[in-house]
Amino acid sequence: MKVGVIGAGTMGSGIAQTFAQTDGYEVVLCDISERLAEGGKAKIAKGLNKKVAKGKMAQEAADAILGKITTGLMDKCADCDLIVEAAYEDLGVKHEMFKELDVICKPETIFASNTSSLSITEIGAGVNRPVIGMHFFNPAPVMKLIEVIAGLNTPDETVEKIKEISVSIGKTPVQVKEAAGFVVNRILIPMINEAVGIYADGVADVEGIDTAMKLGANHPMGPLALGDLVGLDICLAIMNVLYTETGDSKYRPHPLLRKMVRGGKLGQKTGEGFYKYN
Ligand code: CAA
């Protein structure tokens, strides 16, 4: 099966790696420029090289995975069987991309979006085929869950096909109804927002908050480190969707979260968030 992954950022490159390391899949990793698409592949190569250096993967295996990933613009997706869109989390952007893909791709290509909180029904509006949510978690090659979200017009057979594909790449699909933040982000992102508030209130420092949640709740990483991993801009975008969709003040993004995003401190991807990265 040939998979077109749209968007070569953190999630797109992780999703591309996940498919490419499974037998029976090849990937076209696309972005708005060749340079960005190649940058995504370079990120994958860097991660695989680390595994080779640690002795956890043979060089041939790493080369084989990279050999299954080609890069380019969306017009390379004409013969793809599945599209997984992982572009910028903006309804207008996703909408336009799917409309364009509708013209480029063959009629039977399945359209899936990795949106983390937007309405699948709205993303699919005006597209001449159903769109489904196929929501991966960061880091995509490691995290086992895929939330499968049917929009109002997504047929059952598409839902079943995406569940089947999810299992084939080693993931566990959980079907959820269309709702802001679905399941995981509705729980996880307000927790990160709360941790930002706790820090802003001076209750504990960054390390203290993260250590407390790691040791007190057995989380693999603390909420502020997780915010940096997910991207504080993504956290803010999800809080904004939860807030505007529900109108519930409990989802108000914390002013410090807004301030950090305005200041370009987005976490790992910009080299600084609550922690510094080199
Ligand atoms: N890409 C690929 N593989 C990665 C990776 C990455 N970015 N980061 C870590 N890994 C791999 C490592 O290579 C390693 O693999 P091996 O065991 O084969 O060597 C394995 O994961 C474990 O990594 P580490 O030993 O370096 O570190 P760790 O044991 O501390 O685990 C972690 C790191 C997997 C990130 C772990 O801390 C964790 O599970 N954190 C929570 C992540 C989480 O909650 N994600 C969900 C975010 S919400 C989201 O994504 C949804 C959304 O829409 C915003």
Side-chain angles (χ1 to χ4, degrees), residues 11 17 51 54 56 116 135-139 141-143 184-185 188-189 220-221 226 229-230 234 238:
M11 289 309 292
Q17 181 185 332
K51 277 191 184 278
K54 278 200 237 164
K56 292 203 163 177
S116 49
H135 185 212
F136 290 77
F137 292 81
N138 188 1
V142 180
M143 304 301 284
V184 173
N185 282 344
L188 202 60
I189 306 300
M221 64 203 300
L226 184 57
L229 173 78
V230 167
I234 305 288
I238 294 169

Short mmCIF file of all heavy atoms in Angstrom, two decimals, residues 11 17 51 54 56 116 135-139 141-143 184-185 188-189 220-221 226 229-230 234 238, ligand 1:
data_model
loop_
_atom_site.label_atom_id
_atom_site.label_comp_id
_atom_site.label_asym_id
_atom_site.label_seq_id
_atom_site.Cartn_x
_atom_site.Cartn_y
_atom_site.Cartn_z
N MET A 11 4.96 15.41 13.53
CA MET A 11 4.01 14.32 13.41
C MET A 11 4.10 13.64 12.04
O MET A 11 4.12 12.41 11.96
CB MET A 11 2.56 14.81 13.66
CG MET A 11 2.27 15.17 15.09
SD MET A 11 2.72 13.89 16.28
CE MET A 11 1.56 12.58 15.91
N GLN A 17 7.61 7.47 9.14
CA GLN A 17 8.51 6.41 9.64
C GLN A 17 7.72 5.17 10.06
O GLN A 17 8.10 4.03 9.76
CB GLN A 17 9.33 6.93 10.81
CG GLN A 17 10.31 5.89 11.34
CD GLN A 17 11.05 6.34 12.59
OE1 GLN A 17 11.28 7.54 12.80
NE2 GLN A 17 11.45 5.38 13.42
N LYS A 51 19.50 4.96 16.54
CA LYS A 51 19.22 3.56 16.87
C LYS A 51 20.37 2.66 16.41
O LYS A 51 20.76 1.73 17.11
CB LYS A 51 17.92 3.10 16.21
CG LYS A 51 16.68 3.49 16.99
CD LYS A 51 15.47 2.78 16.42
CE LYS A 51 14.19 3.21 17.10
NZ LYS A 51 13.90 2.53 18.35
N LYS A 54 23.26 3.00 18.71
CA LYS A 54 23.04 2.32 20.00
C LYS A 54 23.07 0.80 19.84
O LYS A 54 22.92 0.07 20.81
CB LYS A 54 21.67 2.71 20.56
CG LYS A 54 21.65 4.04 21.31
CD LYS A 54 20.40 4.07 22.22
CE LYS A 54 19.53 5.26 21.94
NZ LYS A 54 18.17 5.15 22.48
N LYS A 56 20.76 -0.85 18.29
CA LYS A 56 19.38 -1.37 18.36
C LYS A 56 18.79 -1.64 16.99
O LYS A 56 17.68 -2.17 16.87
CB LYS A 56 18.49 -0.39 19.11
CG LYS A 56 18.85 -0.27 20.58
CD LYS A 56 17.68 0.24 21.38
CE LYS A 56 17.90 -0.06 22.85
NZ LYS A 56 16.87 0.45 23.71
N SER A 116 -5.70 17.03 15.61
CA SER A 116 -5.70 16.68 17.02
C SER A 116 -6.94 17.21 17.73
O SER A 116 -7.13 16.92 18.91
CB SER A 116 -4.44 17.21 17.69
OG SER A 116 -4.23 18.55 17.35
N HIS A 135 -5.82 9.70 14.26
CA HIS A 135 -5.03 10.57 15.13
C HIS A 135 -3.92 9.80 15.84
O HIS A 135 -4.18 8.97 16.71
CB HIS A 135 -5.97 11.24 16.16
CG HIS A 135 -5.29 12.24 17.02
ND1 HIS A 135 -5.65 12.49 18.31
CD2 HIS A 135 -4.22 13.05 16.76
CE1 HIS A 135 -4.85 13.41 18.82
NE2 HIS A 135 -3.98 13.76 17.90
N PHE A 136 -2.69 10.10 15.44
CA PHE A 136 -1.49 9.49 16.03
C PHE A 136 -1.03 10.34 17.22
O PHE A 136 -1.41 11.49 17.36
CB PHE A 136 -0.35 9.46 15.00
CG PHE A 136 -0.53 8.50 13.87
CD1 PHE A 136 -1.39 8.79 12.82
CD2 PHE A 136 0.18 7.30 13.84
CE1 PHE A 136 -1.54 7.90 11.75
CE2 PHE A 136 0.04 6.41 12.78
CZ PHE A 136 -0.83 6.71 11.74
N PHE A 137 -0.13 9.77 18.02
CA PHE A 137 0.39 10.47 19.19
C PHE A 137 1.90 10.57 19.11
O PHE A 137 2.55 9.70 18.53
CB PHE A 137 -0.10 9.74 20.47
CG PHE A 137 -1.58 9.91 20.60
CD1 PHE A 137 -2.45 9.10 19.88
CD2 PHE A 137 -2.10 10.93 21.36
CE1 PHE A 137 -3.83 9.30 19.92
CE2 PHE A 137 -3.48 11.15 21.40
CZ PHE A 137 -4.34 10.33 20.69
N ASN A 138 2.42 11.60 19.68
CA ASN A 138 3.84 11.96 19.58
C ASN A 138 4.67 11.31 20.71
O ASN A 138 4.30 11.48 21.85
CB ASN A 138 3.90 13.49 19.67
CG ASN A 138 5.27 14.05 19.37
OD1 ASN A 138 6.20 13.32 19.07
ND2 ASN A 138 5.40 15.36 19.49
N PRO A 139 5.75 10.60 20.42
CA PRO A 139 6.35 10.29 19.13
C PRO A 139 5.61 9.14 18.42
O PRO A 139 5.45 8.05 18.99
CB PRO A 139 7.78 9.87 19.48
CG PRO A 139 7.79 9.56 20.96
CD PRO A 139 6.58 10.16 21.58
N PRO A 141 6.23 6.90 16.10
CA PRO A 141 6.71 5.52 15.95
C PRO A 141 6.62 4.71 17.26
O PRO A 141 6.67 3.49 17.24
CB PRO A 141 8.19 5.69 15.55
CG PRO A 141 8.28 7.08 15.03
CD PRO A 141 7.29 7.88 15.82
N VAL A 142 6.48 5.41 18.39
CA VAL A 142 6.50 4.73 19.70
C VAL A 142 5.10 4.55 20.29
O VAL A 142 4.79 3.49 20.84
CB VAL A 142 7.36 5.57 20.71
CG1 VAL A 142 7.41 4.88 22.07
CG2 VAL A 142 8.76 5.81 20.17
N MET A 143 4.28 5.58 20.18
CA MET A 143 2.98 5.56 20.89
C MET A 143 2.01 4.60 20.19
O MET A 143 1.87 4.64 18.97
CB MET A 143 2.39 6.97 20.95
CG MET A 143 3.32 8.00 21.59
SD MET A 143 3.80 7.60 23.29
CE MET A 143 2.30 8.02 24.16
N VAL A 184 -8.16 11.72 24.25
CA VAL A 184 -6.86 11.95 24.92
C VAL A 184 -6.59 13.44 25.12
O VAL A 184 -6.26 13.87 26.23
CB VAL A 184 -5.71 11.28 24.13
CG1 VAL A 184 -4.36 11.67 24.72
CG2 VAL A 184 -5.87 9.77 24.15
N ASN A 185 -6.75 14.23 24.07
CA ASN A 185 -6.39 15.65 24.21
C ASN A 185 -7.32 16.42 25.13
O ASN A 185 -6.93 17.42 25.72
CB ASN A 185 -6.33 16.32 22.84
CG ASN A 185 -5.04 15.96 22.12
OD1 ASN A 185 -4.10 15.48 22.74
ND2 ASN A 185 -5.00 16.17 20.83
N LEU A 188 -5.58 15.33 28.41
CA LEU A 188 -4.14 15.60 28.54
C LEU A 188 -3.79 17.09 28.43
O LEU A 188 -2.97 17.60 29.20
CB LEU A 188 -3.42 14.83 27.43
CG LEU A 188 -1.95 14.52 27.62
CD1 LEU A 188 -1.72 13.68 28.86
CD2 LEU A 188 -1.40 13.77 26.40
N ILE A 189 -4.38 17.79 27.49
CA ILE A 189 -3.96 19.19 27.24
C ILE A 189 -4.43 20.12 28.37
O ILE A 189 -3.65 20.96 28.82
CB ILE A 189 -4.38 19.67 25.83
CG1 ILE A 189 -3.86 18.66 24.75
CG2 ILE A 189 -3.88 21.07 25.54
CD1 ILE A 189 -2.35 18.46 24.67
N PRO A 220 5.17 8.96 32.36
CA PRO A 220 6.53 8.75 31.83
C PRO A 220 7.32 10.05 31.74
O PRO A 220 8.54 10.04 31.82
CB PRO A 220 6.31 8.16 30.44
CG PRO A 220 4.88 8.41 30.11
CD PRO A 220 4.14 8.57 31.40
N MET A 221 6.64 11.16 31.57
CA MET A 221 7.33 12.45 31.62
C MET A 221 6.39 13.46 32.25
O MET A 221 5.18 13.30 32.22
CB MET A 221 7.82 12.89 30.23
CG MET A 221 6.76 13.15 29.21
SD MET A 221 7.38 13.01 27.50
CE MET A 221 8.64 14.26 27.49
N LEU A 226 6.19 17.43 28.67
CA LEU A 226 5.28 16.92 27.64
C LEU A 226 4.76 18.06 26.76
O LEU A 226 4.67 17.92 25.53
CB LEU A 226 4.12 16.16 28.30
CG LEU A 226 3.13 15.48 27.36
CD1 LEU A 226 3.82 14.49 26.43
CD2 LEU A 226 2.04 14.76 28.16
N LEU A 229 7.31 18.76 24.34
CA LEU A 229 7.38 17.71 23.30
C LEU A 229 6.26 17.89 22.28
O LEU A 229 6.50 17.86 21.06
CB LEU A 229 7.28 16.31 23.96
CG LEU A 229 7.17 15.13 23.00
CD1 LEU A 229 8.53 14.77 22.42
CD2 LEU A 229 6.59 13.89 23.69
N VAL A 230 5.05 18.09 22.77
CA VAL A 230 3.89 18.25 21.88
C VAL A 230 4.02 19.55 21.07
O VAL A 230 3.65 19.63 19.90
CB VAL A 230 2.58 18.27 22.72
CG1 VAL A 230 1.39 18.73 21.89
CG2 VAL A 230 2.30 16.88 23.30
N ILE A 234 0.81 23.98 19.72
CA ILE A 234 -0.24 22.96 19.51
C ILE A 234 -1.14 22.90 20.75
O ILE A 234 -2.37 22.84 20.65
CB ILE A 234 0.39 21.56 19.26
CG1 ILE A 234 1.38 21.60 18.09
CG2 ILE A 234 -0.68 20.50 19.04
CD1 ILE A 234 0.78 21.73 16.73
N ILE A 238 -5.14 23.63 20.78
CA ILE A 238 -6.14 22.65 21.26
C ILE A 238 -6.97 23.28 22.39
O ILE A 238 -8.20 23.12 22.42
CB ILE A 238 -5.44 21.35 21.72
CG1 ILE A 238 -4.79 20.67 20.51
CG2 ILE A 238 -6.44 20.41 22.39
CD1 ILE A 238 -3.86 19.53 20.84
N1 CAA B 1 10.83 9.34 17.48
C1 CAA B 1 11.04 8.02 17.36
N2 CAA B 1 11.36 7.22 18.40
C2 CAA B 1 11.52 7.81 19.60
C3 CAA B 1 11.33 9.19 19.80
C4 CAA B 1 10.99 9.97 18.67
N3 CAA B 1 10.77 11.28 18.77
N4 CAA B 1 11.56 9.48 21.11
C5 CAA B 1 11.87 8.32 21.71
N5 CAA B 1 11.85 7.31 20.80
C6 CAA B 1 12.10 5.91 21.03
C7 CAA B 1 13.55 5.68 21.39
O1 CAA B 1 14.33 5.49 20.21
C8 CAA B 1 13.50 4.43 22.23
O2 CAA B 1 13.40 3.29 21.39
P1 CAA B 1 14.22 1.97 21.76
O3 CAA B 1 13.58 1.47 23.04
O4 CAA B 1 14.00 1.06 20.59
O5 CAA B 1 15.63 2.44 21.94
C9 CAA B 1 12.15 4.55 22.96
O6 CAA B 1 11.36 5.49 22.20
C10 CAA B 1 12.30 5.09 24.36
O7 CAA B 1 12.99 6.30 24.29
P2 CAA B 1 14.02 6.82 25.38
O8 CAA B 1 14.69 5.66 26.03
O9 CAA B 1 14.88 7.88 24.77
O10 CAA B 1 13.15 7.63 26.41
P3 CAA B 1 11.98 7.19 27.36
O11 CAA B 1 11.99 5.76 27.72
O12 CAA B 1 12.02 8.22 28.40
O13 CAA B 1 10.67 7.42 26.45
C11 CAA B 1 8.94 8.73 25.52
C12 CAA B 1 10.44 8.61 25.76
C13 CAA B 1 8.46 7.57 24.65
C14 CAA B 1 8.72 10.04 24.80
C15 CAA B 1 8.21 8.69 26.93
O14 CAA B 1 8.75 9.67 27.77
C16 CAA B 1 6.71 8.91 26.81
O15 CAA B 1 5.94 8.01 26.55
N6 CAA B 1 6.26 10.15 27.08
C17 CAA B 1 4.86 10.53 26.97
C18 CAA B 1 4.51 10.83 25.55
C19 CAA B 1 3.07 11.20 25.38
O16 CAA B 1 2.28 11.33 26.30
N7 CAA B 1 2.69 11.45 24.12
C20 CAA B 1 1.39 11.92 23.76
C21 CAA B 1 1.40 13.39 23.55
S1 CAA B 1 -0.19 14.00 23.11
C22 CAA B 1 -0.23 13.86 21.45
O17 CAA B 1 0.72 13.55 20.78
C23 CAA B 1 -1.54 14.14 20.83
C24 CAA B 1 -1.70 15.44 20.20
O18 CAA B 1 -2.52 15.54 19.32
C25 CAA B 1 -1.04 16.66 20.70
#
